[in-house]
Amino acid sequence: MNRVKKKSNKKAVDFMLLIAITMLVFIGIIMVFSASWPVGMSEENDGYYFLKRQIIWSAMGFLGLFIAMNFDYRKLKKWAPYIFFLSIILGLLVFTPMGAEIKGARRWLDIGPIRIMPSDAIKFGSVVFFAKFLANKRENIDTVFQGTLPALIYIGLACGVIIQEDLGTGGTIAITMMAMFFVGGMNILHMAPLGVGAAGVFYLAINDPDSSYRLARITAFIDPFADKLDTGWQLVQSLYSLGSGGVFGLGLGKSRQKFFYLSEAYNDFIFAIIGEELGLVGTVIVILLFLIVIWRGIIIALKTEDLFGCFLATGITALIAVQSLIHIAVVTSSMPTTGITLPFVSYGGTSLVMFMTLVGILLNISRNVNFERS
Amino acid sequence: MKESNKIVKKRLKITLGLSFFIVFALILRLGNIQIFRNHELKKGALEQWTKSIDIRAKRGTIYDRRGKKLAISVNSFTVWATPADIKESKKTAETVSSILQLEEDEVYKKLVSNQSTQKIKQWITREEANELRKLKLRGITIVEDNKRYYPNGNFASYILGFTDIDNNGLDGIEYVYNDYLTGRPGKWMKMTDGANRQLPYDGEKVHDPEDGSSLVLTIDETIQHFAEKAAEKALLDTKAKGVSVIMMEIETGEILSLVNKPDFDPNSPREPVDENLKKQWDKLPAEEVQKKWFDLWRNFTINDIYEPGSTFKLITAAAALEENSANLDTHYYCKGTIKIQGRTLKCANWYNPHGDQTFRDAVNNSCNVAFVNMGLNLGRDNLYKYTKAFGFGEKTGVDLLGEQAGIIPNNVENIKEINLATLSYGHSIAVTPMQLVTAVSAIANGGDLLKPKLVKQILNSEGDVIKEFKSETVRKVISKETSDTMLSLMETVVSEGSGSKAYIPGYKVGGKTGTAQKIIDGRYKQGKYIGSFISVAPIDDPKIAMLVVVDEPSGTYYGGSVAAPVAKSIFEDTFNYLEIPPKFTKEEKEEIEELVKVPDVRNKKIGEAGKILMELGLKHTTEYLELTDESIILDQFPLPGVEIKKGSVIDLFIDFKPNEEIVMPFLTDKKKEEIIKILDEMNLKYEFKGQGKSVLQSPLPGEKINFNTKVIVEFK
């Protein structure tokens, strides 16, 4: 590896990453507008309702991105435990009267005029905190009491708060942190009993006669058409969207599935609407943009000499990768259904701001990296 | 870089590789969905977006020959569900089932089915439709529909047939002309969103249905009505199992009416018309009820065969006249029985033989023995030829379902002498009523066997004629001359013979009665008869042939008693309706004016009674032909004291004893062999003088003799 001596703190950010994220955010604005039009018209009597909000959130996201980009991430290391602690508190607040229930799930907190998802805060907090933990324990991470045990406790703490109400997000956080742990030097042998335990729990869950419905939901993705009207409904609708889009799509704005066939068309199933309107061309472009983000993120992590920076970059990239790939896998009926948004693209206030801020941090880390090509 | 950090970098690269792999797999998955499954999924999506509901074409109307509507389509409403749009299936099922009075479970099953549309209930009332519409239930649509309606109820049921719930013809004309009547259904398609509202992109498309063609039948509603009324009355009067009537236009083969009683209402063909019977059926198991349906739908006039009996003698007579093996001057001798191949065939009243008869007498008397001789003279080849030529043993081709061909001998070789003999008077053959009426129409119309017709025209939905059915001659069977002779013979059967109950003053009705024992499971069934009367009118300008068949009447079963009055009643109504003016003879004119009181002739000798009645200007008839003047009358109808028109017929019921005396047959101008045969059969002694043809006989023909008399015949 060539080493170029740092000349100043203000190096250029990873331009390709910034471009990819910007494109995703703009695709998001357009697609949210298109996908939300019918709901906007019917529920708010304003087809632009979600567009206006998405633009505002995007603006706030870019603000967060630029602030973070210019804010030395290393300062986060000091604050990491407090951020984590605060985010867990927010997560627990959901169960107080401050929590808001929408469509049968308590996932939101009403703070003044805005409604936030504490899970976004927990995502942010756990990535930052876990990066610090991994950096501090780098040398002893492969031991049980210094490494594996506390790591698993933190993971359990982070996702345990929300996994009850939001399996998808809880899982996303768990996988993200496991990925960070893996990169951070997890002792794979320690994972073996954990794997056996998980398999056991899974076996019991499957054979529990009381929850055959849960099992049906989990396995619906294998053949969603088998129970088209119930457990398979969303998946079938999603496949209809993608399938009828074909290679070139029906044309921007021309989705029919967004007309109340797919619920959460601008949210959990936005990728399906992209497939329907822009075809395979659109879906592959979006996937490739995410691939660029993942690739650049990991490159940044690889090139960062600072361990905290490395693990933070890993965590941010993993979070983006896990959530976006789960979203796409769900929409393409490749894994069990769980409602999860597509980062940067789906409609979604605090989530968008949080992700863009995280990307700002990632960009800030990239500033301290010497790329061979630059 | 520290050694330990190498693990980090290695694992970061693994992670990057894994990410690439997952992304690659997802792209493949997307390619599979968006390229390879594109067609299939698009189809599924289109099906879901497109709500298409069949708009049923209006089924064509069925008219009678004068344009009266016999079967029409009326507007109705049908409820459809699009299960994909229904989220609250349970609740919707509850609401819908309570309004439409359906089983909730059944409705629920339909609402959660895997079909794009499901019919919930057909033909709901306007009130129900309005109530449902008000609720605006998601996924429930009400479509205007049409329903078959037969305004006359149980009327011409066996001609019209009926339709199923989907307006497909199941029987009768509805079935045979289903393709014409159905039309082409239309479709109402619209692109809808998940909430069943119309999508902004694609408008709704309506493919208009093409209404079915209409039919103009040969039936005359009024005449059909007369026939229905008379048959219904006969059914009650005779307590018969069934009464059937067919009327055919002689010149064209067009069927003017066709009735079977009891019948059904094509509006609800699965319920008997009779209320009591309906209650009985309700108690039967489903399988048996189904059997009852099929029995009810049997069209006796074409689906069933029966032994025609004496009505078939018209065929024998026509054949004999046409082949010149007999003529009006031919005499036949009846001694009550005739021995053929060791079997003794009897005349209907063998105990009181007809004796010597002319051809006309033989027909009037319906003498079996005479017809056996007529048949034997005609020969089996000829009789078989005419039986076939008149259409027996083959379907007439009438446009109805399930026509039978009847049973005739397979080929000439199978006809033994005994078969020939019985065939001559209509036994050992089975025909459908339709065949017989078609054959007799041929006898009456100058000899053309016609294909019976029920449909005159097919009209398109605008009412223009698109198809016209011309009358079709199957073949020429007999000459005009024979036809004329047969008409005159048939006339005397009514004016003088066994068909007298069909006599209508002012009109010349010709006919022939028939009475046959029923054959059930291949055997003659004791006590079960079919009485029939085939008739043609008016004789001087034949227009209508009519067959009346009374199946299993209780009590009197002779065709002349049970069937002829039905024909008379229908003819009277029909002549009046068709405005055919009566042409009274002088005597008729006198008779018609006056009413007379019926005298009491019971316990009188028939000779005496006949005189009394004749003096009053009344006619009389007995079940039994050729009675002696000594026969005692047991009962009469109408009863004494009733006022009736002059010229009316009084039924006399006779207590009769076989006559001890026999009448000397006509023996002159015959060969010796013939005379020997006649006298042998009569068990008479005889003596012959000379050779050649007989010129003189003793005693003279018609003289009363007893069995000891020796007959002397001289030949020259």
Side-chain angles (χ1 to χ4, degrees):
Chain A
M1 242 178 267
N2 288 335
R3 294 252 187 107
V4 178
K5 229 189 164 189
K6 279 184 266 177
K7 282 182 182 162
S8 87
N9 273 344
K10 295 270 172 188
K11 280 186 199 157
V13 297
D14 188 328
F15 191 64
M16 205 189 296
L17 176 62
L18 184 59
I19 290 292
I21 292 297
T22 309
M23 283 176 74
L24 282 172
V25 171
F26 276 96
I27 289 173
I29 292 170
I30 293 163
M31 291 318 296
V32 163
F33 175 42
S34 171
S36 69
W37 175 273
V39 178
M41 284 307 285
S42 90
E43 280 172 18
E44 309 293 340
N45 204 20
D46 177 9
Y48 302 95
Y49 180 88
F50 292 94
L51 172 67
K52 290 174 194 162
R53 276 153 188 80
Q54 183 75 348
I55 289 173
I56 294 168
W57 286 115
S58 300
M60 285 168 66
F62 275 111
L63 188 66
L65 185 142
F66 283 112
I67 291 171
M69 197 169 81
N70 294 304
F71 178 84
D72 189 355
Y73 74 91
R74 277 168 286 229
K75 288 177 187 163
L76 284 173
K77 196 175 179 183
K78 210 189 312 169
W79 303 343
Y82 309 108
I83 296 171
F84 184 59
F85 181 71
L86 195 69
S87 70
I88 298 293
I89 296 291
L90 281 175
L92 290 171
L93 278 179
V94 166
F95 301 100
T96 71
M98 288 176 75
E101 189 173 319
I102 297 177
K103 289 178 191 164
R106 299 181 77 89
R107 295 180 185 175
W108 290 267
L109 265 187
D110 284 330
I111 298 176
I114 58 164
R115 171 168 289 179
I116 65 158
M117 275 186 92
S119 59
D120 290 328
I122 292 174
K123 281 175 192 167
F124 186 92
S126 41
V127 165
V128 173
F129 175 74
F130 207 50
K132 175 186 166 136
F133 165 78
L134 290 173
N136 285 348
K137 296 287 155 81
R138 180 65 202 93
E139 299 307 323
N140 301 315
I141 199 73
D142 54 355
T143 62
V144 174
F145 294 105
Q146 295 274 330
T148 308
L149 201 58
L152 290 179
I153 288 170
Y154 292 138
I155 293 173
L157 197 58
C159 63
V161 179
I162 41 180
I163 205 152
Q164 281 293 320
E165 291 291 327
D166 189 346
L167 189 70
T169 307
T172 304
I173 292 171
I175 296 168
T176 302
M177 290 174 80
M178 287 301 281
M180 291 171 75
F181 188 28
F182 170 73
V183 171
M186 159 211 290
N187 187 332
I188 291 170
L189 284 177
H190 292 172
M191 288 298 119
L194 196 74
V196 172
V201 169
F202 185 66
Y203 178 81
L204 286 176
I206 283 178
N207 289 292
D208 180 1
D210 294 337
S211 57
S212 58
Y213 181 77
R214 191 193 304 157
L215 180 66
R217 281 206 87 88
I218 291 169
T219 53
F221 80 95
I222 297 165
D223 181 13
F225 290 93
D227 189 11
K228 194 172 155 179
L229 291 167
D230 188 10
T231 53
W233 171 265
Q234 283 285 30
L235 293 177
V236 166
Q237 295 310 323
S238 180
L239 288 177
Y240 279 166
S241 278
L242 290 170
S244 53
V247 177
F248 298 105
L250 299 177
L252 190 59
K254 296 261 177 72
S255 161
R256 282 150 180 87
Q257 289 291 92
K258 66 188 180 192
F259 285 90
F260 310 100
Y261 288 108
L262 263 180
S263 57
E264 306 282 333
Y266 51 90
N267 236 328
D268 295 351
F269 283 92
I270 195 150
F271 193 71
I273 301 297
I274 295 173
E276 188 180 355
E277 297 195 347
L278 306 176
L280 184 63
V281 176
T283 52
V284 169
I285 286 175
V286 170
I287 286 195
L288 290 179
L289 286 172
F290 276 106
L291 191 59
I292 290 171
V293 172
I294 295 164
W295 168 53
R296 293 316 300 170
I298 291 177
I299 293 295
I300 291 166
L302 275 172
K303 300 281 165 86
T304 306
E305 287 163 44
D306 171 28
L307 263 183
F308 175 63
C310 168
F311 292 135
L312 191 56
T314 304
I316 293 167
T317 309
L319 185 64
I320 294 169
V322 168
Q323 189 164 335
S324 59
L325 295 183
I326 286 179
H327 177 96
I328 294 166
V330 166
V331 166
T332 55
S333 195
S334 313
M335 64 172 280
T337 322
T338 171
I340 198 164
T341 57
L342 185 61
F344 312 108
V345 181
S346 286
Y347 175 75
T350 51
S351 168
L352 182 60
V353 176
M354 185 273 298
F355 269 111
M356 291 184 76
T357 307
L358 282 177
V359 170
I361 294 170
L362 191 58
L363 289 168
N364 182 260
I365 299 169
S366 76
R367 282 203 154 149
N368 300 296
V369 172
N370 290 309
F371 297 106
E372 287 153 88
R373 53 177 179 75
S374 52
Chain B
M1 183 164 264
K2 283 178 198 163
E3 194 57 30
S4 61
N5 284 357
K6 279 189 182 161
I7 297 172
V8 172
K9 296 203 188 269
K10 201 175 117 202
R11 288 194 174 176
L12 272 172
K13 283 172 191 163
I14 291 171
T15 310
L16 184 61
L18 190 68
S19 304
F20 269 88
F21 174 77
I22 292 172
V23 166
F24 181 68
L26 286 174
I27 289 177
L28 284 184
R29 175 92 179 142
L30 276 169
N32 178 35
I33 293 169
Q34 299 198 277
I35 298 173
F36 296 105
R37 293 176 65 188
N38 165 250
H39 191 73
E40 161 209 338
L41 290 168
K42 193 163 196 162
K43 209 180 120 204
L46 255 173
E47 239 166 59
Q48 160 176 297
W49 302 335
T50 317
K51 298 284 149 35
S52 100
I53 286 174
D54 279 352
I55 310 174
R56 192 166 288 172
K58 210 166 182 164
R59 195 170 173 83
T61 306
I62 301 179
Y63 299 97
D64 86 332
R65 59 163 57 207
R66 306 206 173 200
K68 287 184 188 155
K69 289 169 180 172
L70 302 180
I72 55 176
S73 288
V74 292
N75 282 338
S76 186
F77 300 91
T78 294
V79 187
W80 292 84
T82 45
D85 295 331
I86 298 170
K87 286 279 162 66
E88 294 172 314
S89 306
K90 201 95 216 165
K91 214 174 136 197
T92 311
E94 203 185 303
T95 321
V96 170
S97 59
S98 79
I99 293 176
L100 301 179
Q101 283 141 30
L102 296 169
E103 283 293 316
E104 195 181 318
D105 290 351
E106 300 274 311
V107 176
Y108 180 74
K109 255 182 236 161
K110 285 181 181 173
L111 296 190
V112 296
S113 78
N114 208 5
Q115 243 126 54
S116 62
T117 50
Q118 270 279 2
K119 193 195 289 171
I120 301 295
K121 190 178 180 185
Q122 191 158 24
W123 303 338
I124 62 169
T125 64
R126 190 171 288 274
E127 289 72 39
E128 288 170 332
N130 287 341
E131 201 174 333
L132 265 182
R133 274 187 182 144
K134 258 185 238 153
L135 292 174
K136 284 187 181 143
L137 293 169
R138 220 177 110 159
I140 300 284
T141 318
I142 294 147
V143 180
E144 248 181 70
D145 194 357
N146 60 74
K147 179 185 179 178
R148 201 58 159 169
Y149 178 63
Y150 303 90
N152 298 323
N154 60 327
F155 179 85
S157 324
Y158 294 92
I159 304 162
L160 300 173
F162 50 90
T163 60
D164 65 8
I165 198 154
D166 292 318
N167 274 354
N168 294 310
L170 286 188
D171 201 357
I173 289 291
E174 293 274 30
Y175 174 85
V176 178
Y177 289 89
N178 192 43
D179 290 348
Y180 286 104
L181 289 164
T182 305
R184 203 176 306 149
K187 253 192 167 64
W188 173 39
M189 289 195 298
K190 57 174 184 174
M191 300 290 266
T192 56
D193 68 11
N196 223 9
R197 291 168 292 219
Q198 195 162 324
L199 280 178
Y201 310 116
D202 322 86
E204 61 182 354
K205 270 186 216 154
V206 177
H207 298 287
D208 284 326
E210 212 172 277
D211 286 348
S213 307
S214 294
L215 300 179
V216 177
L217 300 188
T218 60
I219 300 296
D220 188 309
E221 194 213 30
T222 311
I223 295 176
Q224 174 77 18
H225 180 72
F226 297 148
E228 299 255 355
K229 187 184 70 181
E232 186 76 59
K233 182 174 179 298
L235 185 72
L236 290 173
D237 290 349
T238 64
K239 297 188 186 69
K241 190 181 158 208
V243 177
S244 297
V245 177
I246 310 178
M247 290 169 80
M248 183 181 271
E249 205 174 66
I250 281 168
E251 290 301 324
T252 57
E254 292 179 0
I255 293 166
L256 290 171
S257 77
L258 187 154
V259 178
N260 294 295
K261 294 281 175 183
D263 57 1
F264 59 89
D265 181 350
N267 290 308
S268 46
R270 284 170 187 81
E271 284 171 12
V273 176
D274 185 78
E275 284 297 326
N276 291 328
L277 205 55
K278 207 185 275 181
K279 272 175 209 153
Q280 273 179 39
W281 282 26
D282 287 342
K283 289 172 198 151
L284 293 176
E287 233 170 82
E288 257 173 77
V289 172
Q290 212 158 24
K291 223 184 257 171
K292 295 269 182 201
W293 292 344
F294 286 103
D295 283 346
L296 189 59
W297 299 335
R298 264 192 105 75
N299 183 350
F300 184 86
T301 59
I302 58 156
N303 296 152
D304 285 322
I305 52 176
Y306 75 112
E307 201 178 52
S310 303
T311 50
F312 192 76
K313 286 171 181 161
L314 293 177
I315 308 301
T316 312
L321 291 171
E322 181 72 15
E323 286 298 315
N324 242 332
S325 76
N327 58 50
L328 289 183
D329 297 327
T330 311
H331 279 254
Y332 297 95
Y333 189 81
C334 168
K335 69 167 184 84
T337 57
I338 184 166
K339 248 197 176 118
I340 304 281
Q341 286 186 308
R343 260 182 68 187
T344 307
L345 304 177
K346 287 178 185 173
C347 205
N349 43 335
W350 49 274
Y351 36 78
N352 184 17
H354 298 113
D356 178 61
Q357 305 161 96
T358 61
F359 192 100
R360 188 179 293 274
D361 293 336
V363 176
N364 280 355
N365 296 339
S366 198
C367 174
N368 285 354
V369 174
F371 272 89
V372 169
N373 286 319
M374 196 189 293
L376 293 175
N377 287 343
L378 178 62
R380 63 176 189 179
D381 290 313
N382 279 332
L383 186 55
Y384 186 65
K385 185 176 95 186
Y386 280 92
T387 301
K388 286 193 78 164
F390 274 115
F392 297 104
E394 65 178 17
K395 294 179 182 178
T396 62
V398 69
D399 2 16
L400 287 174
L401 198 58
E403 195 189 359
Q404 298 289 309
I407 303 168
I408 63 167
N410 288 341
N411 56 53
V412 183
E413 282 69 39
N414 287 353
I415 305 177
K416 303 274 167 342
E417 199 182 3
I418 180 76
N419 306 122
L420 176 59
T422 55
L423 184 59
S424 304
Y425 57 87
H427 281 227
S428 49
I429 179 174
V431 307
T432 65
M434 185 61 75
Q435 282 175 331
L436 188 66
V437 82
T438 310
V440 171
S441 288
I443 289 176
N445 71 10
D448 291 323
L449 186 74
L450 300 166
K451 184 179 160 190
K453 257 171 44 177
L454 270 171
V455 179
K456 261 175 118 73
Q457 292 170 332
I458 297 178
L459 312 175
N460 65 14
S461 48
E462 271 83 52
D464 306 320
V465 177
I466 51 172
K467 194 162 178 177
E468 182 106 42
F469 293 90
K470 298 250 155 43
S471 69
E472 281 175 57
T473 305
V474 179
R475 64 182 80 87
K476 177 96 178 161
V477 186
I478 55 168
S479 65
K480 179 89 181 77
E481 205 188 341
T482 307
S483 169
D484 289 343
T485 311
M486 287 305 298
L487 286 172
S488 104
L489 287 169
M490 287 167 80
E491 190 197 345
T492 37
V493 170
V494 173
S495 59
E496 298 166 16
S498 56
S500 57
K501 286 196 180 164
Y503 177 79
I504 306 168
Y507 296 98
K508 288 181 174 172
V509 176
K512 180 77 196 78
T513 58
T515 307
Q517 228 168 330
K518 273 185 94 169
I519 298 172
I520 293 170
D521 300 328
R523 278 176 190 208
Y524 285 106
K525 181 90 181 175
Q526 209 66 41
K528 303 231 182 211
Y529 295 88
I530 290 184
S532 59
F533 184 64
I534 178 82
S535 50
V536 172
I539 288 294
D540 39 10
D541 178 19
K543 285 199 163 63
I544 300 168
M546 185 199 309
L547 174 62
V548 178
V549 183
V550 180
D551 184 12
E552 288 184 29
S554 32
T556 308
Y557 50 82
Y558 292 94
S561 305
V562 293
V566 180
K568 176 186 174 172
S569 143
I570 299 170
F571 271 137
E572 270 180 333
D573 287 340
T574 305
F575 293 151
N576 190 16
Y577 163 68
L578 294 176
E579 292 172 0
I580 299 175
K583 288 177 223 155
F584 294 108
T585 59
K586 226 178 175 183
E587 301 134 44
E588 282 172 344
K589 264 184 198 155
E590 285 165 10
E591 284 167 356
I592 220 157
E593 306 301 323
E594 285 178 72
L595 286 178
V596 288
K597 229 176 212 164
V598 178
D600 192 347
V601 293
R602 288 175 294 192
N603 296 320
K604 288 193 166 67
K605 286 182 183 167
I606 189 146
E608 194 187 332
K611 262 182 220 155
I612 296 169
L613 291 171
M614 208 123 84
E615 275 164 20
L616 288 167
L618 292 173
K619 292 177 178 174
H620 66 276
T621 175
T622 60
E623 317 274 61
Y624 324 100
L625 308 161
E626 294 294 311
L627 301 151
T628 65
D629 288 350
E630 303 298 308
S631 302
I632 302 293
I633 296 162
L634 273 184
D635 205 356
Q636 66 178 84
F637 184 83
L639 290 169
V642 176
E643 279 203 299
I644 52 169
K645 268 185 198 168
K646 251 190 177 178
S648 298
V649 181
I650 310 291
D651 288 325
L652 300 178
F653 302 93
I654 311 295
D655 171 32
F656 52 96
K657 296 179 185 105
N659 196 344
E660 315 230 354
E661 285 179 328
I662 48 172
V663 179
M664 182 62 199
F666 184 89
L667 294 175
T668 44
D669 202 26
K670 282 190 184 344
K671 283 180 198 154
K672 205 179 246 171
E673 296 81 36
E674 284 182 72
I675 293 169
I676 291 170
K677 208 174 160 192
I678 293 171
L679 294 176
D680 273 349
E681 273 182 19
M682 296 177 78
N683 289 325
L684 288 174
K685 294 166 199 158
Y686 49 83
E687 192 182 319
F688 292 147
K689 289 176 184 166
Q691 292 291 328
K693 284 211 165 175
S694 55
V695 289
L696 208 71
Q697 67 177 101
S698 162
L700 291 170
E703 265 192 45
K704 285 186 180 140
I705 52 170
N706 63 34
F707 288 104
N708 295 322
T709 314
K710 189 174 184 181
V711 179
I712 299 161
V713 187
E714 279 185 41
F715 296 86
K716 219 176 184 176

